[in-house]
Structures are given as structure tokens and as C-alpha cells.
């Protein structure tokens, strides 16, 4: 069976450069939107999941979804801290941090627009439990003092949150003595201080949560059962990675639904554009199709040739859309995390899976837009096609 070479389709696309460019441009915009939404969702989830560590366990009050809603009594924290599954550090101290989490409202730099920011009170070992957190300016706060350190995203975006500046909250004035970088994790959008000092300032008697390191990561199920079955404790335990992944669930679902809706709407226009382009190609090449059939090319060869043109057209547009979307990785955005109601800064993240999904999506558009015109071309009668020429 005679088959038409790929160069045939390429030459025909090149011969119609203007319509090819316009149609590919439309598909590129659709793929750009599709990929950007997936990158946004991936960036959000990556930021929050990377915030946690599989070796760490977060303990909060049972049924509380966030640390802000939670409460862990001092006696309960002491019981958890004494469990044998908790790792020990230097001097035999438990690698655990009893923490207080509060939301405050700060103004963004250059605007009068306020946003919620997390103030996290951490214990003496809180920094050691988060190795991804490192100081990039200044020093760590002193326990028992009105000193705080700000995440890089907070220091850059919020008024009076930079190194050496002062913030007022909880009825007191706090001096920013350091800025830390948390490797694009959720901690970049937090302010840290001494847990006990912050609790006194906000008149709290209970911690919000407790974080500890497992002596053996494989013992998580055992420690979870011990905590949740103890009648003295009304607490639940989660791996830190799972805890922060749950924080992204609501916003992630919204982004996914919104992105899918926009992509479907835009893709309809792109498919119609591809269909019009291919129908025009068939109409202008009726005589050529008749000649090919007369030379011995079968209907299936004509079908695959025109369908191949549509897929190539889509592939060019999809590749262009992905190239444009890749530049979004240079952008950092901030929004409110609907789970914690706090400001969260994160970046668009492009992964091989997103590239594969985007290319599959654009090829699907090319197939849908090109099948009917290709089928029409394949069904043309040889005599009628030659007469039309």
C-alpha cells in the first residue's frame, strides 16, 4: 500500500504559513492556559508538601483541621514528649517543639491592602526539626525576648517585616532580628518567635500544636495509635508531609476545577479553528487529492496524511504554549490558603508529567479538529475530484 511521506504534510503546512501560524497560535494559547493552571496547582502542592518531613510528626487537637483551630494542653504535650518513639538529641533531650500559631493582619508594602500572616512560636529545637530553614540575614531570636525572625517572602512583601524593622501585635512591639529562607516551602510565609513569649503576649495557656522527630520513621503507625488511643489525650497525629498536603486540598481543588473549565471553553475555540483550517485545506486541494488517488494512494493514506497535518499543527502550537508556560516558573505569586486563611507565597512548577499532559491535550485537540476534514478528503470520489481540478 502506498503511503504519503511526512514531508508531504510539512510542505502543505508551510505553503499555508499564515493560516498555520494563526491556528497554531490559538492552540498555543489554550495549552499555555492549561499548562499554567497545572503548574499553579503543582507549585501550591509542592510548596506545602515540601514544608514537611516524613520523619516529623505533627500533633493537633482531634477534629481540628489547622494549627490555628487546635489546642494542645501543656500536660498533654508533656505526655507526648515522653513517648519512646520520640527521637532524642544532644543531652538526651526529646527532639520536639511545642508551638503556638496565631494569625495577625499586616499591610503589604506599597499598598493599604492587609493580609493574614502566620506568627509561629517555636520551641528551642523548632529550628533543628526544620533543616530546610536557614538564616540568610541577621541572627536567630533569643528565647524569652520580643525578637522575631521573618520568612523571606514576608520580609520582602510586608511593611515593617524586614531586617531591623519593628512590628506591633499582641499588644507589644517586636523587633525583626533575622530573615530566613525555607527553600520555597510554606515556612517562607511565616514569622517565627519564642513560643512561651508569644503565648503570654496573646494570653494563651495552651499550645497550638506539637512537632516531634521519630526515632524510627517506620514506627509512625505505633506512635499514632498510642497518641490517639490514650484517654488522657484528645489529639491526633499525622506525618508532617501529610499534614501540609491536607492544607493545600481546598485551594488545589478550586484551581483544578477552574483550570479545567477554562481549558475546555478555550479548547472548543481551538478545535473549531483547526477544523476550519483543515476544511479549507481540503477544499483548496480537491484536484491534488484526485491526482493522488489516481496514482494509487488509498483512502486510508489520504485520511492519515490530512490527520497527520492536523496533529503536526497541534504539536507545533502545543510546543509553543509549553515554552511560554515555562517562563511562568520565574514568577512568584501569593494568595490566601483557604485552609489556614493565611498568606502563602509559591511559584509555578513545571514537571515532566505536566509536559506530557499538555502535549496529550494538544494532540487530542488536533485529532478532534482534523478528523472530520481528513475523513471528507478520504471520501472524495476520484473522478469528481479530477473534474473539479
Amino acid at each position: 500500500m502506498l503511503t504519503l511521506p511526512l514531508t508531504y504534510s510539512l510542505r502543505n503546512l508551510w505553503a499555508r504559513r499564515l493560516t498555520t501560524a494563526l491556528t497554531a497560535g490559538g492552540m498555543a494559547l489554550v495549552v499555555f492556559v492549561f499548562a499554567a493552571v497545572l503548574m499553579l496547582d503543582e507549585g501550591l502542592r509542592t510548596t506545602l508538601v515540601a514544608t514537611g518531613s516524613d520523619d516529623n510528626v505533627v500533633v493537633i487537637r482531634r477534629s481540628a483541621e489547622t494549627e490555628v483551630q487546635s489546642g494542645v494542653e501543656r500536660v498533654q504535650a508533656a505526655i507526648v514528649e515522653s513517648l519512646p518513639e520520640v527521637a532524642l538529641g544532644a543531652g538526651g533531650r526529646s527532639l520536639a517543639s511545642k508551638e503556638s500559631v496565631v494569625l495577625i493582619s499586616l499591610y503589604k508594602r506599597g499598598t493599604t491592602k492587609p493580609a493574614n500572616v502566620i506568627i509561629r512560636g517555636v520551641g528551642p529545637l523548632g529550628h533543628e526539626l526544620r533543616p530546610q530553614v536557614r538564616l540568610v540575614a541577621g541572627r536567630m531570636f533569643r528565647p524569652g525576648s520580643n525578637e522575631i525572625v521573618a520568612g523571606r517572602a514576608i520580609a520582602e512583601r510586608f511593611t515593617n517585616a524586614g531586617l531591623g524593622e519593628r512590628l506591633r501585635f499582641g499588644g507589644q512591639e517586636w523587633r525583626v532580628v533575622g530573615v530566613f529562607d525555607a527553600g520555597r516551602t510554606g515556612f517562607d510565609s511565616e514569622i517565627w518567635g519564642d513560643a512561651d513569649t508569644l503565648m503570654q503576649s496573646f494570653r494563651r495557656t495552651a499550645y497550638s500544636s506539637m512537632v516531634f522527630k521519630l526515632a524510627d520513621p517506620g514506627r509512625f503507625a505505633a506512635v499514632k495509635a498510642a497518641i490517639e488511643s490514650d484517654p488522657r489525650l484528645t489529639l491526633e497525629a499525622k506525618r508532617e508531609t501529610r499534614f501540609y498536603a491536607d492544607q493545600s486540598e481546598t485551594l488545589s481543588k478550586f484551581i483544578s476545577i477552574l483550570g479545567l473549565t477554562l481549558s475546555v471553553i478555550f479548547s472548543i475555540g481551538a478545535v473549531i479553528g483547526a477544523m476550519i483550517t483543515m476544511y479549507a485545506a481540503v477544499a483548496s486541494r480537491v484536484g491534488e487529492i484526485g491526482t493522488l488517488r489516481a496514482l494509487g494512494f488509498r483512502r486510508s493514506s489520504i485520511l492519515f496524511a490530512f490527520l497527520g497535518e492536523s496533529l503536526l499543527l497541534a504539536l507545533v502550537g502545543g510546543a509553543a504554549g509549553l515554552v511560554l508556560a515555562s517562563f511562568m516558573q520565574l514568577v512568584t505569586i501569593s494568595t490566601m490558603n483557604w485552609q489556614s486563611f493565611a498568606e502563602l507565597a509559591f511559584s509555578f512548577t513545571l514537571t515532566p508529567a505536566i509536559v506530557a499532559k499538555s502535549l496529550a491535550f494538544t494532540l487530542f485537540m488536533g485529532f478532534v479538529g482534523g478528523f472530520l476534514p481528513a475523513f471528507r478528503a478520504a471520501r472524495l470520489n476520484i473522478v469528481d475530484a479530477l473534474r473539479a481540478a
Side-chain angles (χ1 to χ4, degrees):
M1 181 181 70
L2 294 175
T3 57
L4 287 163
L6 179 63
T7 52
Y8 172 76
S9 297
L10 290 172
R11 284 198 303 268
N12 283 313
L13 288 175
W14 180 250
R16 305 187 315 277
R17 291 186 289 276
L18 180 59
T19 55
T20 296
L22 291 175
T23 305
M27 288 191 167
L29 290 176
V30 176
V31 172
F32 171 79
V33 173
F34 180 78
V37 170
L38 292 180
M39 290 168 62
L40 189 65
D41 183 39
E42 182 66 22
L44 171 66
R45 291 191 299 105
T46 299
T47 296
L48 287 175
V49 171
T51 300
S53 168
D54 272 339
D55 293 349
N56 289 349
V57 177
V58 176
V59 179
I60 57 174
R61 190 188 68 217
R62 192 174 300 156
S63 77
E65 295 184 356
T66 66
E67 292 172 287
V68 175
Q69 301 168 343
S70 174
V72 179
E73 300 294 336
R74 292 177 183 270
V75 174
Q76 294 176 323
I79 293 172
V80 172
E81 194 174 23
S82 66
L83 291 172
E85 289 84 3
V86 179
L88 300 179
R93 291 197 304 172
S94 298
L95 288 177
S97 176
K98 293 167 279 191
E99 303 188 347
S100 175
V101 177
V102 181
L103 287 180
I104 65 168
S105 182
L106 296 179
Y107 289 98
K108 293 188 175 182
R109 293 187 185 274
T111 70
T112 56
K113 181 183 178 181
N116 289 334
V117 173
I118 287 179
I119 304 293
R120 181 181 296 275
V122 299
L125 300 179
H127 182 269
E128 188 174 339
L129 290 169
R130 280 85 176 219
Q132 71 270 45
V133 175
R134 59 183 182 84
L135 280 173
V136 293
R139 58 175 175 82
M140 187 57 69
F141 62 84
R142 292 176 298 181
S145 68
N146 281 28
E147 295 178 345
I148 53 177
V149 292
R152 186 194 291 272
I154 298 298
E156 292 174 352
R157 293 172 179 271
F158 287 86
T159 303
N160 299 326
L163 182 64
E165 296 182 314
R166 294 177 182 271
L167 289 170
R168 186 167 185 81
F169 56 84
Q172 298 186 48
E173 191 173 81
W174 305 78
R175 187 160 67 94
V176 182
V177 297
V179 175
F180 63 84
D181 180 274
R184 292 190 173 186
T185 65
F187 294 132
D188 272 330
S189 299
E190 295 183 354
I191 295 173
W192 286 11
D194 179 65
D196 291 327
T197 306
L198 285 165
M199 286 174 65
Q200 292 174 11
S201 177
F202 287 102
R203 295 178 176 81
R204 295 197 170 191
T205 57
Y207 298 107
S208 299
S209 64
M210 183 176 177
V211 181
F212 66 84
K213 188 178 184 65
L214 286 167
D216 178 3
R219 295 283 295 166
F220 171 72
V223 75
K224 178 179 175 66
I227 291 172
E228 296 181 359
S229 63
D230 193 325
R232 298 170 297 173
L233 308 175
T234 55
L235 307 174
E236 65 176 332
K238 294 183 179 181
R239 286 194 188 270
E240 197 175 32
T241 47
R242 178 72 263 167
F243 175 78
Y244 284 107
D246 290 344
Q247 303 299 297
S248 69
E249 189 174 355
T250 302
L251 184 55
S252 179
K253 284 182 178 178
F254 172 77
I255 292 173
S256 298
I257 293 172
L258 177 62
L260 180 62
T261 303
L262 290 175
S263 297
V264 168
I265 293 173
F266 292 159
S267 66
I268 292 173
V271 167
I272 293 174
M275 194 174 292
I276 291 172
T277 299
M278 294 308 299
Y279 268 125
V282 172
S284 64
R285 290 152 59 190
V286 171
E288 182 182 319
I289 294 169
T291 302
L292 290 171
R293 292 284 288 116
L295 290 173
F297 289 95
R298 300 179 63 176
R299 295 183 188 275
S300 58
S301 298
I302 304 298
L303 174 68
F304 288 127
F306 278 83
L307 193 56
E309 283 187 38
S310 181
L311 292 175
L312 282 171
L313 189 61
L315 193 59
V316 170
L322 277 172
V323 170
L324 289 174
S326 67
F327 288 103
M328 295 300 292
Q329 295 179 99
L330 304 175
V331 178
T332 298
I333 64 172
S334 63
T335 187
M336 184 182 71
N337 183 350
W338 292 358
Q339 199 79 2
S340 64
F341 298 104
E343 184 82 1
L344 179 68
F346 59 97
S347 302
F348 289 81
T349 302
L350 183 63
T351 64
I354 292 176
V355 172
K357 289 178 182 177
S358 300
L359 291 178
F361 180 58
T362 192
L363 288 174
F364 173 76
M365 288 193 295
F367 179 83
V368 173
F371 182 78
L372 289 179
F375 184 76
R376 180 178 182 274
R379 297 298 297 174
L380 283 175
N381 183 275
I382 297 177
V383 176
D384 292 340
L386 291 174
R387 283 177 178 170

